[in-house]
């Protein structure tokens, strides 16, 4: 009894009749190997695409960090606030949670008016999954003492970023504390 099989090969369907012990020719065996290796190739291509996406998220987030520090260091709390989602939350050390873009803007305005300046941010890790990413980073910031002299503090932070419908990464949750990052 003969059993006919159909295989897909580069856009065409071909009918083959297997012999006892395998395909009729070495050419057919090569074609079958190609068909069987397709899932592996698809997984490999997908992993490259995901890696490129993660690199893209990192580049976009690093660019946003530059925008954030430029806005903060120029005293533009409104621009800093616009970098957060509408339902953002800031969790400052030893302070109350601040919710919403407007509240976050007011929080940063208070920091700027209080004399904080020369903020630096450095992303140490960025991981992405769909429309969310997290960033672990380090910062330095000049803060005034009660006497008015500036001293530089260092710390670490974690930010959860959320990608909006417009494709822009915005800070969604922001928490930090003082102390060396490593």
């Amino acid at each position: 009894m003969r059993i006919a099989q159909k295989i897909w090969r580069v856009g065409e369907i071909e009918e083959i009749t297997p012999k006892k012990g395998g395909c009729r020719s070495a050419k057919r065996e090569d074609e079958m190997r190609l068909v069987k290796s397709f899932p592996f190739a698809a997984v490999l291509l997908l992993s490259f695409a995901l890696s490129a996406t993660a690199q893209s998220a990192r580049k976009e987030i690093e660019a946003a960090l530059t925008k954030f520090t430029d806005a903060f260091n120029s005293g533009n709390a409104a621009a800093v606030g616009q970098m957060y989602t509408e339902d953002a939350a800031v969790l400052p050390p030893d302070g109350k949670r601040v919710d919403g873009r407007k509240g976050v803007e007011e929080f940063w305005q208070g920091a700027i008016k209080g004399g904080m300046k020369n903020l630096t941010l450095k992303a140490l890790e960025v991981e992405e999954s769909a429309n969310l990413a997290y960033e672990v980073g380090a910062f330095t910031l000049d803060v005034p003492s009660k006497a008015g002299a500036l001293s530089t503090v260092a710390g670490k932070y974690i930010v959860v970023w959320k990608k909006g419908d417009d494709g822009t990464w915005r800070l969604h949750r922001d928490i930090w504390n003082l102390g060396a990052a490593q």
Side-chain angles (χ1 to χ4, degrees), residues 40-60:
F40 173 75
V43 168
L44 189 61
L45 287 172
L46 180 61
S47 69
F48 285 134
L50 291 174
S51 175
T53 299
Q55 289 298 322
S56 174
R58 183 179 184 100
K59 286 181 181 180
E60 291 174 29

Side-chain angles (χ1 to χ4, degrees), residues 61-80:
I61 287 170
E62 286 176 342
L65 294 178
T66 299
K67 188 176 171 183
F68 188 103
T69 56
D70 289 349
F72 182 88
N73 291 331
S74 68
N76 189 347
V80 172

Side-chain angles (χ1 to χ4, degrees), residues 54-120:
Q55 289 298 322
S56 174
R58 183 179 184 100
K59 286 181 181 180
E60 291 174 29
I61 287 170
E62 286 176 342
L65 294 178
T66 299
K67 188 176 171 183
F68 188 103
T69 56
D70 289 349
F72 182 88
N73 291 331
S74 68
N76 189 347
V80 172
Q82 288 301 308
M83 297 193 65
Y84 286 82
T85 61
E86 283 291 335
D87 57 343
V90 168
L91 303 128
D94 300 323
K96 292 183 178 181
R97 176 180 166 137
V98 178
D99 289 305
R101 184 181 284 162
K102 187 67 176 161
V104 170
E105 178 184 332
E106 291 168 359
F107 173 84
W108 289 118
Q109 185 62 50
I112 292 166
K113 282 186 178 180
M116 295 182 187
K117 56 176 108 182
N118 299 322
L119 173 66
T120 65

Side-chain angles (χ1 to χ4, degrees), residues 17-24 29:
T17 305
K19 280 176 128 180
K20 199 173 197 176
C23 293
R24 287 187 183 162
E29 288 174 12

Side-chain angles (χ1 to χ4, degrees), residues 20-42:
K20 199 173 197 176
C23 293
R24 287 187 183 162
S25 67
K27 180 181 177 196
R28 297 278 190 242
E29 288 174 12
D30 289 344
E31 290 170 351
M32 290 304 292
R33 264 189 238 118
L34 176 66
V35 169
K36 289 177 182 177
S37 67
F38 179 75
F40 173 75

